Amino acid sequence: MYVPEPFAVTDPAEIDAMIGRARLATLVTHGPEGLFATHLPLLHDRETGALLGHIARANPHPRLAGEDEALVILQLDEAYVSPNWYPSKAIDGREVPTWNYEAVHLYGRLEWFENRDALLDLLNRLTNRHETGRPEAWTVADAPSDYVERLLRGIVGVRLSITRVVAKRKLGQNKAQADREGVAIGLEASSDGRDLAAAARMRSLAP
């Protein structure tokens, strides 16, 4: 990923927070038959420095992954930015559309696992992460045990042992404060939840 210096995120705590905010990930590998990708939620295990998830047993990804380094792409808040939102545009018109976004690329060694207890632990942890805060949080134990056992036999676990991370935050840091404010206001006028989320993220990081 191309990361100009103003957009680079290098602080481990900030990167950890970005990984924690991400939801759906894209796992990309390159094997003998070329590139292959799977979209899946992943859990960040901070103690082991790994990302954990699972795929359907019918998914051919384990066979196609090969032995090379794997890549996980996390896409966070993103939004189109209109030049009309920059006050500086009124001066000389020298502005063009762009896209604001945050993304994290994680590289590492990929492993697949089928241990029943490890898979059940993963399902519980993933479920708890995404159900936390809901009025009536669902748990794996709410489903019939025989049904859960059947589902466990239908999935394969995936573990990415992280070896390097590249994180990017392109939210107008290279722009004047008035232009950053103009973009935030422009996004806040949108009815699209993604634009509103991007505006809130810009506000939260304002100097």
Side-chain angles (χ1 to χ4, degrees):
M1 176 167 57
Y2 171 57
V3 187
E5 193 279 331
F7 305 139
V9 182
T10 57
D11 180 81
E14 288 190 67
I15 294 174
D16 186 73
M18 291 173 73
I19 296 173
R21 288 176 46 238
R23 290 158 51 109
L24 191 67
T26 304
L27 169 64
V28 183
T29 59
H30 187 273
E33 299 182 34
L35 291 167
F36 195 83
T38 293
H39 302 277
L40 72 170
L42 291 172
L43 181 75
H44 185 205
D45 190 322
R46 293 170 178 82
E47 292 186 5
T48 63
L51 294 174
L52 301 168
H54 63 86
I55 63 172
R57 184 171 292 277
N59 188 328
H61 206 149
R63 176 176 58 83
L64 299 174
E67 301 297 326
D68 293 338
E69 183 179 57
L71 165 66
V72 165
I73 300 173
L74 304 178
Q75 177 70 62
L76 287 83
D77 297 312
E78 49 85 14
Y80 170 79
V81 175
S82 170
N84 291 327
W85 296 337
Y86 295 125
S88 62
K89 172 182 173 289
I91 299 175
D92 55 20
R94 295 173 182 263
E95 293 292 349
V96 294
T98 190
W99 214 278
N100 276 6
Y101 63 91
E102 289 183 296
V104 183
H105 288 193
L106 303 107
Y107 302 81
R109 180 173 53 84
L110 205 59
E111 301 172 75
W112 308 94
F113 61 94
E114 302 182 17
N115 178 272
R116 180 262 182 201
D117 291 341
L119 286 171
L120 180 59
D121 178 66
L122 172 60
L123 290 183
N124 280 312
R125 294 170 68 186
L126 272 172
T127 300
N128 292 342
R129 179 196 171 189
H130 295 291
E131 288 284 337
T132 295
R134 297 179 184 274
E136 296 183 17
W138 184 87
T139 69
V140 175
D142 290 339
S145 59
D146 60 334
Y147 176 70
V148 172
E149 292 299 326
R150 186 163 67 253
L151 292 180
L152 287 171
R153 292 192 293 272
I155 61 175
V156 175
V158 56
R159 178 186 295 106
L160 180 85
S161 298
I162 302 169
T163 56
R164 59 189 177 106
V165 180
V166 180
K168 183 174 184 178
R169 175 180 292 140
K170 181 182 176 294
L171 296 177
Q173 302 97 306
N174 59 329
K175 297 292 186 181
Q177 177 58 37
D179 283 344
R180 292 198 298 271
E181 178 66 16
V183 171
I185 292 173
L187 291 172
E188 288 166 344
S190 172
S191 60
D192 192 311
R194 294 167 295 185
D195 293 340
L196 298 176
R201 186 64 177 152
M202 290 182 68
R203 295 287 191 196
S204 72
L205 298 167

